[in-house]
Amino acid sequence: MHTIFSFFTEYTIDGFALWAVLLLCAGVFLASFMDAIAGGGGIISVPVYLMVFGSAPTYYVLGTNKFSAGIGTIFSTARFIKKGFVDWSLCIPAAVLSLLGSIGGTWLQHRTPDVVLKYLLLLILPVIAAVTLRGRSWPDEAEDAAVPHRRLIVCAAALLIGCYDGYYGPGTGTFLMLVFVRLARMDTRRAAGCAKVINLASNIGGICSALAAGYVFLGVGAAAAAFSVLGHWLGAGLAIKNGSRLVRPTVAAVLLLLAMKVLSELLFPSFWHS
C-alpha cells in the first residue's frame, strides 16, 4: 500500500504529482464530454487546471487547457463530419468570420474592463436559460428557411460570438448552437456540427499561439489530451444518437454553470487570476 501511495505522490509529470495529473484528467474528461454535446467545456476544465497548477502563471493554465481541449475537439468534430452533419457552405465562411471576430474581441479586451460584460451576462443568462427550457422544442430536422437568410444569420453570429470568444470566451459553442437552432432554424445535430467546426478553427489558432509562446506543459497536456479525446468521442456519439433530447438540457446546464463561473469571478477574482 505504501509503495502504491509513494508512486502516486513521488512520480511526477512536468513537476506535478501523478495523483494531481490524474485528477486533472478526470476533470478534463468530464469537461470534454459536456463540450462535445453542448459546448462550454472550459467552464469545468479551467477551474480544475487552476487548482492543479496552483501558483503557476495563468498563461500556462490557459495554454495547456487550450492544447488538450483543441485536440479533443478534432475528434468530436470528425464524428459530426463523418455522419454528414456539417454544412460546409455555411461553416467555412463562418469559421473565417469567427477568427476575425476573435481578433477584434481580443483587441477590445485589452482596452476595456471585462467586468461590464460579466455583469451583463449575469442579467441575460437566466433569460437565455429560461427560453432554452420553456420555449419550443429543439428540432431534429431542419425547418424551412431561405438559404441567404440562414447564411446571413450564421455568419453574423460567428462574427459577433467570435468577438465574445476573444473578449471573454466561456460558453462560445453553446451560444453559437442557440443562435443556429433558434434563429437560423438549423436542426440540433447540424447546429452542433457547425459550432464544432467554428470552435475548432479558433482552437487551432489558440494552440499554435500557446505552443509558440511556450505556455504549454506538454507532458500534462498530452495526458489530459488523451482523456479529452475520449470525452469528445463519447459525447459526440451520444449527441448524434439522441439529438435534442440530450443537447437541449445539457445546454441549459452549461448556461447555469456559466452564470456560476461569472459570479465566482466577481466574488473571488484572486482564484481566477492567481
Side-chain angles (χ1 to χ4, degrees):
M1 181 64 72
H2 177 72
T3 302
I4 296 175
F5 180 78
S6 297
F7 175 76
F8 283 103
T9 56
E10 295 176 6
Y11 184 81
T12 63
I13 301 177
D14 291 332
F16 300 97
L18 181 59
W19 70 265
V21 175
L22 292 175
L23 177 64
L24 171 66
C25 289
V28 167
F29 170 79
L30 178 61
S32 302
F33 182 79
M34 184 180 76
D35 193 71
I37 296 171
I43 299 170
I44 293 176
S45 62
V46 170
V48 176
Y49 268 104
L50 282 167
M51 288 186 290
V52 171
F53 281 13
S55 60
T58 306
Y59 297 115
Y60 286 92
V61 170
L62 300 178
T64 310
N65 176 68
K66 182 67 72 175
F67 179 80
S68 60
I71 292 176
T73 303
I74 293 173
F75 287 81
S76 58
T77 305
R79 291 203 76 168
F80 280 97
I81 293 173
K82 183 178 179 180
K83 292 294 184 179
F85 292 123
V86 172
D87 185 338
W88 292 110
S89 65
L90 286 175
C91 293
I92 291 177
V96 173
L97 288 170
S98 178
L99 281 173
L100 293 175
S102 180
I103 294 171
T106 302
W107 180 89
L108 189 63
Q109 181 198 53
H110 294 160
R111 289 159 178 80
T112 57
D114 64 359
V115 67
V116 176
L117 177 62
K118 292 175 183 177
Y119 280 116
L120 182 60
L121 281 171
L122 285 179
L123 292 175
I124 66 174
L125 281 173
V127 177
I128 296 174
V131 171
T132 300
L133 287 175
R134 304 179 69 176
R136 58 189 175 83
S137 60
W138 286 31
D140 285 322
E141 297 294 335
E143 299 180 26
D144 291 334
V147 173
H149 175 73
R150 176 174 288 159
R151 181 172 287 113
L152 177 62
I153 291 175
V154 168
C155 288
L159 180 64
L160 293 175
I161 297 174
C163 184
Y164 164 82
D165 190 23
Y167 189 89
Y168 183 57
T172 296
T174 307
F175 290 140
L176 286 170
M177 285 187 59
L178 284 167
V179 174
F180 293 166
V181 170
R182 293 299 194 191
L183 300 182
R185 298 182 180 179
M186 298 173 68
D187 66 89
T188 303
R189 295 177 178 88
R190 283 180 173 78
C194 192
K196 289 288 175 294
V197 170
I198 293 172
N199 265 350
L200 180 59
S202 61
N203 279 341
I204 290 174
I207 290 173
C208 292
S209 298
L211 288 172
Y215 290 137
V216 177
F217 288 119
L218 288 174
V220 175
F227 284 80
S228 178
V229 167
L230 181 60
H232 271 279
W233 185 262
L234 294 176
L238 284 177
I240 291 170
K241 180 179 180 180
N242 295 283
S244 61
R245 289 180 299 167
L246 178 64
V247 175
R248 189 186 186 198
T250 307
V251 165
V254 170
L255 295 175
L256 175 61
L257 289 172
L258 177 55
M260 294 170 61
K261 179 183 186 297
V262 173
L263 185 61
S264 70
E265 284 184 327
L266 293 171
L267 295 176
F268 311 105
S270 59
F271 172 76
W272 296 97
H273 303 286
S274 58

